[in-house]
Amino acid sequence: ADIDQEREEGKLSRLLRGLAHAVILTNDSDELFVLASAAVKPWTEQNCTSSVFANHVTLTRNDDEWLQNLGAIRHYLYPVHVSREFLISPSVAASLHLLLFRFLHRQYSLVARTVTSCISDSALSAEEAQLWGLLALVKGDTRPDAVACKLAITRATAGEQTHMQCAWNTEEELKAYARLEQLVSSDCRLTVQEELELMAMCDVDGEVSAAGGSDERLQNRASFLTAINKAQHTASAQCTAHVHLGPHPTDSGFDSTPVPPPYYIPTKSPLPPYAMSV
C-alpha cells in the first residue's frame, strides 16, 4: 500500500511540475483536480539557447492589462485522469494555459499531448488571445523536441491562421527538424504524413531541379519522405527518391604545382626531420 501511495504521489508531483501557481483538490468520490490561477502572467527569456536563466519562469500577478482580459472566472479547474498521467482541459483557454506553461518548462512530451486540445474554430477571446500571444516566448527554443512541438502546433492550427498565426517561421523550423530529426524523442516525433503536410504548406514538394531549388536539404528530405509514403501505400517494396547533391567540386589543378626540394616530413622520432626530394 505504501509503495502504491508513493507511486501515485510521484505521478501527481510530475503533473504539478512547472505549475507553481496550482494546487490539488479532491472530492468525496476521491476524484482529483488541479486548480490553477489564471491571474498569473508567465515571463522568461526569449532567447532560450543563450541565457543562463533560460529555464527560469517568472510569474507576474499584478499585470493590469492581463487581469482585465480575464473573464469572470479567474482560475482553471483541470480534472486529473484516473491514470494520473495527464490533466483534462475543460476549455480552450485552459488548454492554452497548460500548453504555455508546459512549453516554458520544457516538458515537451506533455506539450505534444496537449496540442490538439488548443484549437479554436472561432475568433479567440481576449483571454485566449493573450495566452496564445505569449507562445512567442518559445520562438527561440531550438532544442530538437521544441522544434518538433512548434511544428505540431503549426500543423494543428493550419486551418485557423486568421486568428491563430504562429510566431515562428514554419520553413525555418522544418529545416531545423530535418537536421535534428534523429534527436527528437518518440513522444514528439512527427509522422511521415504530418511532415509532408507541413512541407506542402511551405510549397516544398521534393521536386529538386538541377539548379537546386529553395533549400536542398529540405527538398531532398521531401523527396525521401514522398518515397516512403508511396511505399507504405503500394505493394512495391522499392521506391525511388531523387535527390540533388549540389555542385560537384572538380580536381582541376589539384596537386599540379611542383614542390621545391627539400621536402620535410615531421616525425615523432627524437631524431631531426629528414629531407626527401620530390
Side-chain angles (χ1 to χ4, degrees):
D2 291 339
I3 296 177
D4 291 339
Q5 184 177 356
E6 290 179 4
R7 184 181 295 114
E8 179 152 330
E9 288 176 354
K11 289 183 177 181
L12 293 176
S13 178
R14 286 193 294 272
L15 284 179
L16 283 181
R17 192 175 302 159
L19 300 175
H21 57 296
V23 295
I24 295 179
L25 304 178
T26 186
N27 59 16
D28 294 336
S29 302
D30 291 330
E31 296 174 322
L32 297 180
F33 303 84
V34 170
L35 181 70
S37 172
V40 295
K41 177 182 179 181
W43 179 88
T44 188
E45 289 287 342
Q46 290 196 36
N47 189 350
C48 296
T49 59
S50 62
S51 172
V52 294
F53 302 107
N55 203 31
H56 180 72
V57 179
T58 303
L59 301 181
T60 303
R61 294 178 169 84
N62 57 354
D63 188 296
D64 292 336
E65 183 180 359
W66 184 270
L67 296 174
Q68 289 172 4
N69 288 331
L70 298 178
I73 301 176
R74 298 192 169 191
H75 63 264
Y76 306 113
L77 186 65
Y78 302 93
V80 179
H81 191 264
V82 292
S83 66
R84 307 297 189 248
E85 294 292 341
F86 60 93
L87 304 178
I88 301 172
S89 298
S91 65
V92 174
S95 295
L96 288 171
H97 177 90
L98 194 60
L99 178 75
L100 177 61
F101 276 88
R102 296 301 195 204
F103 216 140
L104 291 177
H105 286 90
R106 302 177 186 169
Q107 298 171 319
Y108 302 122
S109 61
L110 294 177
V111 171
R113 182 178 292 180
T114 310
V115 167
T116 54
S117 63
C118 298
I119 313 306
S120 175
D121 56 3
S122 59
L124 299 179
S125 65
E127 179 180 359
E128 295 165 349
Q130 66 183 7
L131 288 165
W132 175 257
L134 276 187
L135 277 176
L137 291 173
V138 305
K139 179 181 179 180
D141 194 341
T142 57
R143 294 167 183 81
D145 280 358
V147 172
C149 286
K150 283 185 281 185
L151 288 173
I153 294 173
T154 299
R155 178 179 172 274
T157 58
E160 318 298 339
Q161 288 299 296
T162 55
H163 54 277
M164 298 188 78
Q165 190 168 4
C166 296
W168 45 85
N169 183 288
T170 302
E171 186 169 352
E172 292 302 318
E173 298 297 334
L174 277 171
K175 292 177 185 178
Y177 187 86
R179 294 193 306 270
L180 303 170
E181 186 264 342
Q182 292 184 344
L183 302 176
V184 177
S185 68
S186 59
D187 289 337
C188 303
R189 185 166 298 178
L190 302 172
T191 66
V192 171
Q193 188 60 41
E194 289 170 346
E195 202 171 343
L196 286 173
E197 289 176 11
L198 286 161
M199 289 182 175
M201 292 169 56
C202 300
D203 296 325
V204 179
D205 55 10
E207 294 296 328
V208 184
S209 64
S214 57
D215 182 83
E216 289 176 6
R217 181 192 294 269
L218 202 56
Q219 295 281 3
N220 286 341
R221 181 159 180 82
S223 179
F224 174 69
L225 293 174
T226 300
I228 292 178
N229 189 53
K230 183 179 179 181
Q232 290 176 341
H233 294 85
T234 61
S236 174
Q238 294 184 344
C239 287
T240 303
H242 299 279
V243 298
H244 180 67
L245 302 179
H248 298 280
T250 63
D251 59 356
S252 175
F254 176 75
D255 204 21
S256 61
T257 304
V259 180
Y263 179 64
Y264 294 101
I265 299 179
T267 176
K268 294 182 180 180
S269 169
L271 298 176
Y274 62 90
M276 180 179 67
S277 299
V278 294

